[in-house]
């Protein structure tokens, strides 16, 4: 049984930890609002970009001049998995869920006889995947020193992906990230980047297809410029969604940690008071017994 001093030291230690978790919760809550606004602001642009691609791709059809970024290599033997996670932990199962989704997808591809390559964005994703797929990680990027994620960061990642595709290092590229839904819900998401998916033709696009558009210089040239930008936009959206999801998960995890610390303090305080009372009672009995002996 621990002594009174040990219990007192442990109570003080848990109280100090509780202050830290409470402070981290408040910081995450303050950052969450800005991160959520940024993620929600990026969604309409990326969705609209997809509609524009769908319209132009429909107009081009099966033209031989369509960029390879949209048509692909004609094979699906080599897959590149771009796994975006956070740089830091203490955010519950946020990083683990993304890594799990990428790990399961990689296992399915390997079981089907495909070659898998992994590009990690974020320290935690690299640490989680290197245990099983260390030999398959061909590229890694960390944004630990970046205070605020910008489009330039996403564009640099997209350019690396496109350069690898141009060199013939893979056939299909899939992006893994976590879509922010709420503070307690972040959904791991897989998005195919290459070949660029134009997505389903919406009702709006179908109605617009009846109109006649003229593209200058031509639709294929527009796609050549638009598809690389779309890849950068999708990576940027993934990074913003991850930041919002990380802050939401961290806020929830630190709130739970603060509550658990409070429960532990109550239990330790009760044990301390009981042991202290038992010790006082024992000392009183010894004093009374000694007095009676005299």
């Amino acid at each position: 049984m621990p002594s009174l001093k040990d219990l007192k030291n442990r109570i003080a230690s848990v109280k100090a930890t509780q202050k830290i978790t409470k402070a981290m919760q408040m910081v995450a809550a303050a950052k969450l609002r800005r991160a959520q606004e940024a993620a929600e602001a990026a969604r309409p642009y990326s969705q609209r970009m997809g509609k524009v691609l769908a319209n132009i791709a429909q107009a081009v059809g099966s033209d031989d001049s369509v960029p390879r970024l949209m048509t692909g290599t004609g094979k699906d033997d080599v897959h590149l998995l771009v796994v975006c996670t956070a740089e830091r932990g203490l955010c519950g199962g946020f990083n683990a869920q993304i890594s799990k989704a990428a790990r399961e997808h990689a296992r399915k591809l390997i079981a089907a006889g495909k070659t898998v390559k992994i590009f990690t964005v974020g320290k935690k994703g690299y640490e989680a995947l290197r245990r099983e797929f260390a030999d398959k990680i061909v590229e890694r990027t960390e944004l630990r020193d970046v205070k605020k994620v910008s489009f330039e960061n996403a564009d640099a990642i997209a350019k690396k992906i496109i350069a690898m595709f141009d060199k013939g290092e893979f056939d299909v590229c899939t992006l893994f990230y976590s879509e922010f839904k709420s503070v307690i819900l972040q959904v791991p998401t897989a998005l195919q980047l290459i070949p660029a998916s134009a997505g389903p033709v919406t009702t709006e696009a179908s109605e617009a297809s009846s109109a006649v558009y003229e593209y200058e210089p031509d639709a294929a040239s527009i796609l050549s410029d638009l598809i690389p930008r779309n890849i950068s936009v999708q990576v940027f959206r993934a990074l913003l969604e991850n930041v919002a999801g990380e802050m939401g998960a961290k806020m929830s995890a630190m709130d739970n940690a603060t509550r658990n610390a409070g429960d532990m303090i109550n239990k330790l305080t009760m044990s301390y008071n009981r042991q202290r009372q038992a010790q006082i009672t024992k000392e009183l009995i010894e004093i009374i017994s000694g007095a009676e002996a005299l």
Side-chain angles (χ1 to χ4, degrees):
M1 182 179 292
S3 63
L4 288 174
K5 185 178 180 181
D6 293 337
L7 286 172
K8 193 172 183 179
N9 290 338
R10 191 173 180 188
I11 291 172
S13 175
V14 175
K15 283 184 176 179
T17 302
Q18 187 184 40
K19 289 180 181 179
I20 295 173
T21 56
K22 183 65 177 177
M24 293 182 68
Q25 177 192 349
M26 295 175 66
V27 171
K31 291 183 177 180
L32 172 62
R33 182 180 60 82
R34 295 191 296 269
Q36 183 177 352
E37 290 175 354
E40 291 175 349
R43 290 172 186 171
Y45 185 85
S46 62
Q47 292 168 358
R48 192 65 183 173
M49 178 76 79
K51 291 180 181 179
V52 172
L53 276 176
N55 288 336
I56 300 178
Q58 189 179 23
V60 173
S62 58
D63 193 345
D64 294 337
S65 61
V66 176
R68 290 177 69 247
L69 286 173
M70 175 162 278
T71 60
T73 61
K75 302 180 292 182
D76 66 339
D77 298 331
V78 184
H79 289 252
L80 177 68
L81 311 185
V82 182
V83 186
C84 298
T85 57
E87 297 291 341
R88 297 172 178 83
L90 298 177
C91 48
F94 174 78
N95 294 312
Q97 290 175 354
I98 302 173
S99 300
K100 180 181 178 182
R103 190 181 298 112
E104 290 177 350
H105 188 70
R107 288 171 180 168
K108 289 180 182 178
L109 291 174
I110 293 172
K114 309 295 183 182
T115 302
V116 174
K117 297 181 179 181
I118 298 176
F119 183 166
T120 61
V121 180
K123 180 180 179 182
K124 292 301 176 181
Y126 172 75
E127 291 178 348
L129 295 174
R130 70 177 178 178
R131 302 167 190 168
E132 184 176 352
F133 302 108
D135 58 329
K136 301 186 183 303
I137 298 177
V138 296
E139 186 69 46
R140 56 179 293 199
T141 297
E142 293 188 5
L143 303 175
R144 194 177 186 88
D145 298 329
V146 178
K147 294 183 178 180
K148 184 179 180 180
V149 175
S150 64
F151 183 78
E152 285 72 18
N153 302 124
D155 191 45
I157 294 171
K159 286 179 178 177
K160 288 183 179 180
I161 296 171
I162 295 173
M164 293 173 67
F165 179 74
D166 291 338
K167 293 177 182 177
E169 296 183 13
F170 65 87
D171 302 315
V172 180
C173 176
T174 306
L175 177 68
F176 288 86
Y177 65 98
S178 186
E179 184 176 358
F180 177 81
K181 296 292 185 182
S182 67
V183 174
I184 60 174
L185 179 61
Q186 300 87 34
V187 182
T189 304
L191 175 66
Q192 181 175 304
L193 290 180
I194 300 174
S197 174
V201 180
T202 61
T203 304
E204 179 183 348
S206 298
E207 294 175 354
S209 62
S210 59
V212 178
Y213 293 96
E214 292 185 1
Y215 300 100
E216 293 184 1
D218 56 74
S221 300
I222 294 174
L223 282 177
S224 298
D225 292 335
L226 198 60
I227 293 176
R229 184 172 183 82
N230 179 61
I231 293 174
S232 299
V233 168
Q234 299 303 331
V235 173
F236 184 45
R237 179 188 173 184
L239 295 179
L240 292 178
E241 295 279 356
N242 267 6
V243 172
E246 179 192 359
M247 291 301 109
K250 182 168 292 186
M251 178 180 169
S252 180
M254 292 301 101
D255 180 57
N256 291 333
T258 302
R259 293 175 185 271
N260 292 337
D263 294 339
M264 184 177 292
I265 290 171
N266 292 336
K267 291 179 182 179
L268 289 173
T269 302
M270 188 175 295
S271 298
Y272 175 83
N273 290 337
R274 285 178 179 175
Q275 189 168 335
R276 183 169 175 271
Q277 185 177 3
Q279 185 173 341
I280 292 172
T281 303
K282 180 181 177 182
E283 291 176 355
L284 287 174
I285 291 174
E286 290 176 353
I287 291 172
I288 294 171
S289 299
E292 289 180 353
L294 294 176

